[in-house]
Structures are given as structure tokens and as C-alpha cells.
Amino acid sequence: MIDEVVTVAARDGTEIGVRVYRPDNGRSPALFGASPYRFDNNILPASPQFLWRETGPIEFYVAQGYAFVQMDVRGSGRSGGDFVFLGRKDQEDLYDVIEWIGAQGWCTGKVGGIGQSYFCMLQWFMAAQAPPSLACIGAHDGLADAYRAGCYHGGIPCDFFPGYWWYQNRFINRFPAEGPGREQETDLAAMVAAHPTYDEFWRERNALELLDRVTVPVYSSGVWSKHQLHTRGNIDAFAKVKGEKKLRLSAAPNAWAAAAEFSSIDFHQKVLLPFYDHYLKGKETDYVKRPNVEYAVRGAGAMRQSETWPPKGVRYTAWHLTAEQSESVTSLNDGGLTLAPPQGQEATTYNYPVPGWVAGVVGFGPSGPPAFDPARRVLTFTTTPLEHDLEIAGPIKLVLYASSTARDTDFFIKLCDQFPQSGEDRARLANPAFEVVTRGWLRASHRALDPARSTEMVPYHTHRDPQPLTPGEVYRFEISLEPQAYRFKAGHRIRLEIVNGDSPATEALWSHHYRPDKIGADTIHHDARHLSQLILPVTADR
């Protein structure tokens, strides 16, 4: 295998560092990935300890007869310029380097995109620019709209990119496994904070604004567990691109498992190699015979096939929030979630910050730490035990009627699978085991919908012109929960959680800081005139 570092001149003269791995003879199609994680770190094992090792197995692909080219984006690694976080210059650099690859004597002239997470985010822009040498992209696990997916969930600032992610990126650029360290002067936290609404800064960095231009074949493969960051990107991009396309969603349980999956040779042999062999080498592979959509169902341990997303035959079914207590969980209110709408005058109010909150909105159990108990000090609305397994697949929406004593408030929504509990544990008020199925977010002042982009089940908020609340006035909010496929088993309960903050104890890398000015009381209205309801995409009830 030939391994060499070279420099490519971008159109503005900036020197872009690339590393070329290729077979030591003949011409090969090339796989191309780009990120700010610098190829000087490739000597490290591609293990979940190093989440940013997201190239896939380079030596495996070279052994299969591919060149593998990795680019350090400008302002990182061995590339010149300043880091611009998905900006126009990054996008132009991708085009320039792809065309450089296609013109090399060792390349057949065909290039395919590869890589997970940030590598995937950049693949959307590769395809949107349509460089002539780009033949396909294998876009795995990557957001397409940086404002809504990673930086401002529902208009609420998320600490992931300007906090954890930027600290990590600067750290691995300062102290690479090999090669010289470098400082990155960009203040990403200030950059993100300067653009709290969806303005031209974010529009430039939103691949979804461009993906209807894409005509090259696209294999969009995602991970259900990345709903705080990437999942919707793979689904929305699949819907938007115009060329040949397929969608695959797997059930890796968390970010670390997803990284391990993409690093494994087995995943690439079974999933991506047949795609690349078909479009870059012209081979007959099983890829063309695969269904348009394959998706794992969490809780069922099964893969389903469909010709569309969401699957045909989905029944959108409403569960109503009620004041009727479920007597199954200890929370601020222990409300109910029923198919029958409420009849009388009902509302649920809570004051915040709640006494007992410790790590954000999470407190600890009656015996103190380490009795971890994220449901005890939030609002919950829970069904009775399910009589049959209930399987969902598709978009999820919450219609919420609410008022506040404040001029603004936040809604953090979790949909959970609540497991059966023994009578003994319930009697001592220990909360039942559960699994978070998906999440949703909305800042109340960002409630305005874009009628051109919203659908019946997927509300699309403009995030352009926040409007404060009038204290005490009841508003109707439509909140999109991240799409999901899940099976709730018979005997389990569906639980909806609502609160105005979250916790680093539950959100790991994707937490949102609790603002000191969030003081007040919010009321959820759920009566005959205000039908607050959770709408689920039911595919099977048996």
C-alpha cells in the first residue's frame, strides 16, 4: 500500500493537506473523506475511545482495489486557512479536491464519498456541488441541517458543537498522534452564539437547502440512537435527493456502539462495499436488489423492509394527555395518556426551578445518590399497560396547549418505554426501569411554522423571528419528536415526559445549559377545548 501526504491548491490559493492511501500498482477508483480531525491521528485504533476516527477501515478498502483519500478541512490538520465550520469555502474545497483526485494518473476518474458523522455531513455538500468526478456518496450517520440538528434544538442552544465538540477538535489538533500540532483560532462558541436564529449564516451551512440538486446515487445509512444529532439528517436527505437512492437505519444503541459498527470490516463488507463496487467498479452486486428502505425496529430486534419512508400503511394514532393518574410512576404529576379525549376542565401546572433538581432537571432518589431518578421531578403522562405489542415507525408529533407566567419558556420532550414493575417496588415509590425512545424540543418563542415546508406530521419551524409569549395566554405548539422505529411490548407502558430543561446526567454530550432567568410556572392544558395529544405512527398492534 502506498501512503503519501500531498498538498492540493484550492481555488483561492489555500493549501489543502490530503493523505492518499492506494494500491501500489494500477489505476483505482477512489473513496474520499474529509473532516477537521486530521489524518495524522489515523495511527490510533478506530475504537469507540476515539469517536472521531470515522473513516471506516482504510486498509480494507485499499485491499479491495480502492484508493482512499482523506482531506483535512481548511483550518485543521495540515491544511491552511481558518476553520469555517461547514462554510462556503469548505464546500468549494471539497469540489476542488475531488476534481484533483479524478485527474490523477492512479485514479480511474471515479470518486465516491465515504465516512461517518462529520465526514458524512460534508458528503451532502460534495454531492450538492456535483463535481464531474463524483460518482456516488455513501453517507453514513450525518446531520444535514446544523442549526436544527446540532446547535439549536428547537431553537434552544445545545452545548455539543460549541462546547464538547470544539474542545475535543482543538485538543486533537494540538496534540496529534504524529505530525506537528496546530492551534485553531476560530472561536466557535462565539460564532454559534452570534447567530441564535436561522439566518444566512446557517442557511449557508444547511445542506438540505441544496440537496434537491443531487443526482448521483446516494446510500443514506443512519443510526436510530443518534436522534440528538444525526438521524433526521439521513432521513431528510434521503427524501430530498433526486438520483438513485436507498435508506438504511440500524439499531446501534448509542454513539459509541455506532462508532464501533462503522469501524468494523463486517459492516463494510455487508453494507457499503456492494454499493461502492456497483457504482465505482460497475460490478453486479446485491445492492441493486435491496429494498429502497431497510430499518431496524428497536425493542423488536428485527429489520423491516419498505419501498417508502415512512412505511406505507402507517396509522397515525393520537394519545391524549389527561389528569388521570397512572399510579405507575412517581413524578411531579403522574398524569395519564389515553386514547379517549378528556371531558372536563383539566390543566397541569409546575413551578421551576423545581426543588430537588441537582444535575440540571434531574434529581436523585429518596435514598440520595447514587439512586439515579430522572422521572421523579418532571411532568409525566403515562398509558395503562399495553394489551398487545405496539410497533411504530415514522414521524412523531406532539400537539401541546400551554401557557406560562414567563415571556418565554422551553419544552424538552421525551418519549419513553416504561417497563413493568413489581408491586413491592411500586409500594416503596421506586420508579420503574425505562428506555428513552426519542426526544423533541421547542423554545416557545420559536413556535412559528413554515407552511411551505411543514406537513401534517412534521412541523417545520422557521426559527427566524422569535415572538415572546403573553403571560397567561394559552398557545398551541406543534413539536416534532425525532422519527423512530420501536416496538413497545405488551405489559409495558408508553410514557411522555415534559419539562423546561434537561440534564448532563441524561444527555451526555448533547446537554443544554439551564439559564438563570428561567424562573416561573408553566401550565399544560389538556381538556375538551385543548386536546394536547401525542401522535404516533403505528405500524402494528398485535
Side-chain angles (χ1 to χ4, degrees):
M1 180 177 75
I2 295 173
D3 178 353
E4 57 185 350
V5 176
V6 298
T7 298
V8 178
R11 66 189 65 181
D12 66 354
T14 300
E15 294 187 342
I16 303 298
V18 302
R19 192 166 190 169
V20 180
Y21 308 86
R22 57 187 175 88
D24 54 13
N25 55 56
R27 299 170 71 229
S28 308
L31 298 174
F32 172 57
S35 82
Y37 305 143
R38 63 179 310 165
F39 48 70
D40 287 329
N41 287 313
N42 286 355
I43 192 174
L44 293 167
S47 72
Q49 180 183 4
F50 307 113
L51 278 177
W52 31 267
R53 286 285 285 108
E54 297 165 330
T55 59
I58 294 171
E59 292 184 357
F60 164 77
Y61 278 107
V62 175
Q64 300 299 316
Y66 288 92
F68 195 110
V69 182
Q70 184 176 348
M71 174 186 123
D72 289 342
V73 302
R74 62 172 57 214
S76 65
R78 301 202 191 192
S79 291
D82 296 320
F83 181 74
V84 295
F85 187 52
L86 306 172
R88 189 83 64 211
K89 289 185 181 298
D90 271 355
Q91 299 166 33
E92 293 171 349
D93 293 344
L94 297 170
Y95 184 106
D96 295 345
V97 173
I98 288 170
E99 287 310 293
W100 175 86
I101 295 169
Q104 299 308 296
W106 44 260
C107 181
T108 61
K110 287 191 173 184
V111 180
I114 192 170
Q116 180 180 23
S117 191
Y118 208 100
F119 289 85
C120 177
M121 291 155 57
L122 290 173
Q123 286 188 69
W124 304 130
F125 292 109
M126 291 181 201
Q129 293 179 94
S133 298
L134 186 69
C136 63
I137 62 169
H140 183 74
D141 186 29
L143 64 82
D145 180 343
Y147 178 87
R148 293 170 176 83
C151 294
Y152 286 90
H153 288 145
I156 305 166
C158 176
D159 195 45
F160 174 73
F161 274 114
Y164 160 80
W165 183 86
W166 188 230
Y167 173 83
Q168 168 210 254
N169 191 75
R170 286 181 297 166
F171 191 79
I172 64 178
N173 270 271
R174 286 187 186 119
F175 308 107
E178 55 184 5
R182 72 170 295 163
E183 287 294 323
Q184 294 172 300
E185 301 299 331
T186 300
D187 188 339
L188 187 61
M191 183 187 293
V192 170
H195 301 277
T197 59
Y198 186 69
D199 57 12
E200 285 306 309
F201 174 88
W202 293 112
R203 187 180 178 88
E204 177 181 315
R205 290 160 173 80
N206 185 354
L208 286 177
E209 301 278 4
L210 309 171
L211 287 182
D212 55 0
R213 307 175 185 175
V214 173
T215 57
V216 296
V218 174
Y219 195 10
S220 179
S221 58
V223 182
W224 283 128
S225 61
K226 303 287 277 295
H227 51 252
Q228 293 153 296
L229 187 64
H230 289 319
T231 305
R232 190 185 290 263
N234 285 104
I235 292 172
D236 289 352
F238 166 76
K240 195 80 181 285
V241 298
K242 301 300 185 184
E244 298 176 39
K245 58 185 178 179
K246 295 184 190 293
L247 174 67
R248 183 183 188 274
L249 293 156
S250 74
N254 53 50
W256 294 270
E261 177 183 64
F262 191 72
S263 296
S264 72
I265 289 175
D266 183 66
F267 175 85
H268 289 267
Q269 281 181 322
K270 293 179 179 177
V271 178
L272 284 179
L273 181 62
F275 168 74
Y276 292 127
D277 278 352
H278 179 69
Y279 287 109
L280 296 177
K281 292 185 176 182
K283 290 185 177 181
E284 292 294 327
T285 71
D286 72 350
Y287 176 80
V288 294
K289 298 178 182 178
R290 294 177 189 175
N292 288 341
V293 178
E294 297 175 277
Y295 64 95
V297 180
R298 293 171 56 212
M303 290 290 292
R304 305 279 188 240
Q305 299 181 353
S306 175
E307 291 306 303
T308 63
W309 182 264
K312 291 180 180 178
V314 167
R315 292 181 290 110
Y316 294 107
T317 306
W319 271 262
H320 298 85
L321 283 63
T322 75
E324 182 179 347
Q325 293 197 332
S326 76
E327 299 183 348
S328 68
V329 60
T330 303
S331 66
L332 291 181
N333 66 317
D334 184 24
L337 198 59
T338 64
L339 291 171
Q343 299 301 314
Q345 292 292 321
E346 294 185 1
T348 300
T349 300
Y350 77 108
N351 296 277
Y352 48 84
V354 173
W357 282 353
V358 175
V361 303
V362 170
F364 296 91
S367 60
F372 178 63
D373 191 352
R376 188 170 296 269
R377 295 171 181 89
V378 305
L379 300 181
T380 62
F381 298 88
T382 312
T383 68
T384 58
L386 297 174
E387 295 182 3
H388 310 282
D389 286 3
L390 185 140
E391 188 168 304
I392 63 171
I396 301 166
K397 184 172 79 168
L398 176 64
V399 176
L400 196 66
Y401 288 89
S403 59
S404 180
T405 62
R407 299 278 288 170
D408 206 354
T409 190
D410 295 330
F411 300 108
F412 289 77
I413 311 298
K414 289 182 184 176
L415 177 64
C416 298
D417 178 358
Q418 181 174 296
F419 301 166
Q421 183 184 40
S422 70
E424 179 183 347
D425 285 345
R426 181 86 299 262
R428 62 184 181 85
L429 301 182
N431 270 339
F434 70 97
E435 181 172 356
V436 176
V437 176
T438 190
R439 293 167 169 83
W441 311 264
L442 184 63
R443 176 153 286 176
S445 60
H446 286 239
R447 61 192 177 276
L449 296 172
D450 184 338
R453 298 193 180 190
S454 296
T455 66
E456 181 63 29
M457 277 299 296
V458 185
Y460 187 92
H461 297 91
T462 64
H463 299 295
R464 287 194 293 266
D465 183 23
Q467 295 296 313
L469 301 176
T470 299
E473 183 172 330
V474 180
Y475 294 86
R476 184 181 191 271
F477 301 94
E478 292 192 25
I479 304 174
S480 179
L481 278 66
E482 297 301 287
Q484 194 63 218
Y486 192 91
R487 176 179 286 185
F488 297 90
K489 293 184 172 63
H492 291 217
R493 298 172 185 251
I494 301 170
R495 186 174 80 206
L496 184 71
E497 298 179 8
I498 303 174
V499 72
N500 80 332
D502 68 8
S503 167
T506 58
E507 307 312 300
L509 310 180
W510 295 277
S511 62
H512 308 72
H513 289 303
Y514 193 89
R515 284 171 35 171
D517 63 351
K518 284 170 57 164
I519 302 170
D522 291 350
T523 299
I524 309 302
H525 298 265
H526 41 82
D527 55 43
R529 291 194 307 116
H530 303 99
L531 295 178
S532 291
Q533 53 188 218
L534 171 70
I535 306 172
L536 296 179
V538 177
T539 58
D541 183 2
R542 54 179 180 268

